Amino acid sequence: MTAPKYDRSILILHLESILHTHNPWHYGSAIAEASSRTNKQLRILILSELFDNELKAKPAKYWSSIHNLLSYVYAQATLPAHEEGRLLMNVEVIFRGLSDETSFKDVIEASWDHVFATSSNHIPQQLRQLATTILPLSGDDSALIEEVSVLKNVADSYPVVALGGTFDHLHAGHKILLTMSAWIATEKVIVGVTDDVLLVNKSNKHIMEPLAERIENVRRFLNLIKPGLTYDVVAIQDVYGPTAWDPNVQALVVSKETLSGAEAVRKKREEESFPALQNFVIDVISPSAAKIVSDDANHLKTAKMSSTFIRQWIVDKQNSGSFDTEDKPRSTSPDVEMPGAFPSDSRDSGVGDTQK
């Protein structure tokens, strides 16, 4: 008998130990099952006491742990959707503590068709009246590592963090980039969104979302995943964005494939006698892997999750007459080579926006 599918589902996971951030396969089967049974929107709420204390106090120190967990969850949720031709399914991964249930009221108060969870113990009260499926965890804890990686040469957190990109058809790669930037910030995140004037050479440009829509999607997603910060989401028309004139930025989030752009930013700020930035690097992911292991920038650009691919998929569907505008979920919440903080190349790749 085929399991029923739902348009909008929420999956509740409980992070019991920080060790699970480095061995997240524990949640793999549950994430894949929830994703395969969801058509349009899957929100994954990861709850843990750790987000109230240890991880909250020193978020930048635990960059590697959270980045690993987040990338794995997005990859596991995205793979079934891509395999089944649901490239536009909206997946959102959100972290919340357990000390105050009102802290995630905004995340769960929307109308959901179904609840998935790995235990009934951590389902928020507001969701308990909905139909629920309890999914088993994978394996046991016998292979857990004994300690986690803690970054030593970074501050506990950073007041102001910057990143940039095109952010067309916001997907998992973008969301990892945005989430990790907000994760280490305590006051403000500055996001440079590439203006249309720099995107005239985009492939399938007529499918690209307008600048105002891309800016609003980024702002809405950031306010969803971490309310309380200031989000300056601005259009940029040069290669550096605000990193060239704002001395108050302390950290820059970049991708592995665009580290050369971070070096350009360093030189620019040095010329302006601005403080150097602490760089944090996002691994490039694909629809089937949480990390692409390669030092070849060209390979990373072709293998990664990309808005270029999504736009071509939409065009192909339209040409075949099989594209349904209902396939595009509600909003959450290749280009000119630019060597600065907020570039985009012909394959939707930038220093900040790793996977446009």
Side-chain angles (χ1 to χ4, degrees):
M1 180 178 178
T2 303
K5 286 195 172 187
Y6 310 93
D7 280 348
R8 303 180 70 243
S9 303
I10 186 166
L11 168 62
I12 310 297
L13 300 178
H14 180 235
L15 182 63
E16 298 178 8
S17 167
I18 195 171
L19 299 179
H20 284 127
T21 62
H22 284 264
N23 295 81
W25 52 264
H26 196 56
Y27 309 102
S29 61
I31 297 168
E33 177 71 9
S35 176
S36 66
R37 293 176 59 183
T38 302
N39 291 320
K40 295 183 178 180
Q41 181 181 14
L42 174 62
R43 181 169 294 175
I44 302 174
L45 178 58
I46 302 179
L47 302 174
S48 179
E49 298 85 348
L50 296 167
F51 298 132
D52 294 316
N53 42 64
E54 188 174 2
L55 295 176
K56 182 179 180 180
K58 300 179 179 181
K61 296 286 190 183
Y62 290 99
W63 167 275
S64 298
S65 299
I66 297 303
H67 180 207
N68 187 68
L69 173 64
L70 188 68
S71 297
Y72 178 83
V73 173
Y74 267 116
Q76 290 298 306
T78 300
L79 177 57
H82 277 243
E83 288 179 338
E84 297 173 20
R86 292 177 284 113
L87 270 68
L88 299 183
M89 189 174 88
N90 179 16
V91 178
E92 304 157 326
V93 181
I94 302 170
F95 302 131
R96 287 291 191 274
L98 286 169
S99 62
D100 182 3
E101 194 164 301
T102 60
S103 69
F104 49 85
K105 181 180 179 182
D106 59 316
V107 176
I108 62 176
E109 64 185 1
S111 175
W112 300 102
D113 299 323
H114 198 76
V115 176
F116 294 98
T118 54
S119 169
S120 60
N121 296 334
H122 301 287
I123 299 176
Q125 188 63 39
Q126 298 96 315
L127 297 177
R128 291 182 179 271
Q129 75 279 12
L130 297 178
T132 300
T133 299
I134 302 299
L135 302 172
L137 292 170
S138 306
D140 55 40
D141 291 343
S142 59
L144 278 180
I145 61 172
E146 296 182 358
E147 60 181 356
V148 299
S149 173
V150 178
L151 300 185
K152 295 180 180 180
N153 298 319
V154 300
D156 290 347
S157 59
Y158 294 84
V160 183
V161 178
L163 69 151
T166 304
F167 298 106
D168 178 46
H169 289 89
L170 204 66
H171 56 64
H174 299 133
K175 293 171 183 177
I176 294 169
L177 181 74
L178 293 166
T179 301
M180 292 307 302
S181 299
W183 172 259
I184 62 173
T186 57
E187 296 178 10
K188 180 192 292 187
V189 176
I190 301 173
V191 186
V193 180
T194 311
D195 203 332
D196 292 336
V197 69
L198 297 176
L199 305 176
V200 294
N201 295 323
K202 279 279 191 183
S203 61
N204 296 312
K205 185 178 183 299
H206 64 292
I207 301 297
M208 178 173 288
E209 295 168 330
L211 175 63
E213 183 176 351
R214 289 184 280 124
I215 288 177
E216 181 56 28
N217 287 343
V218 168
R219 180 180 291 110
R220 185 180 293 113
F221 178 74
L222 286 169
N223 279 311
L224 171 69
I225 61 166
K226 191 175 180 180
L229 295 182
T230 297
Y231 295 113
D232 286 348
V233 187
V234 299
I236 55 155
Q237 298 181 343
D238 57 43
V239 298
Y240 299 104
T243 60
W245 51 261
D246 190 344
N248 296 315
V249 180
Q250 293 92 28
L252 178 67
V253 178
V254 302
S255 71
K256 184 177 180 181
E257 66 174 308
T258 55
L259 280 170
S260 60
E263 175 62 15
V265 169
R266 184 194 67 76
K267 292 179 179 178
K268 178 66 174 177
R269 288 179 67 88
E270 189 175 80
E271 292 173 2
E272 300 294 334
S273 298
F274 289 164
L277 301 179
Q278 176 67 54
N279 291 336
F280 288 86
V281 182
I282 295 287
D283 286 323
V284 178
I285 74 168
S286 77
S288 60
K291 180 178 180 180
I292 300 176
V293 181
S294 174
D295 292 325
D296 183 348
N298 289 328
H299 172 73
L300 294 176
K301 290 177 182 178
T302 57
K304 69 178 184 177
M305 187 176 296
S306 141
S307 293
T308 301
F309 180 80
I310 292 175
R311 289 195 301 273
Q312 185 60 53
W313 177 83
I314 293 174
V315 169
D316 291 343
K317 295 273 283 186
Q318 289 177 335
N319 289 341
S320 67
S322 60
F323 183 74
D324 186 346
T325 55
E326 289 298 313
D327 287 339
K328 186 170 182 178
R330 285 178 251 180
S331 296
T332 61
S333 19
D335 321 303
V336 201
E337 180 67 28
M338 300 161 57
F342 302 101
S344 303
D345 70 14
S346 62
R347 295 197 59 82
D348 292 325
S349 177
V351 166
D353 188 345
T354 67
Q355 307 169 26
K356 306 175 191 138

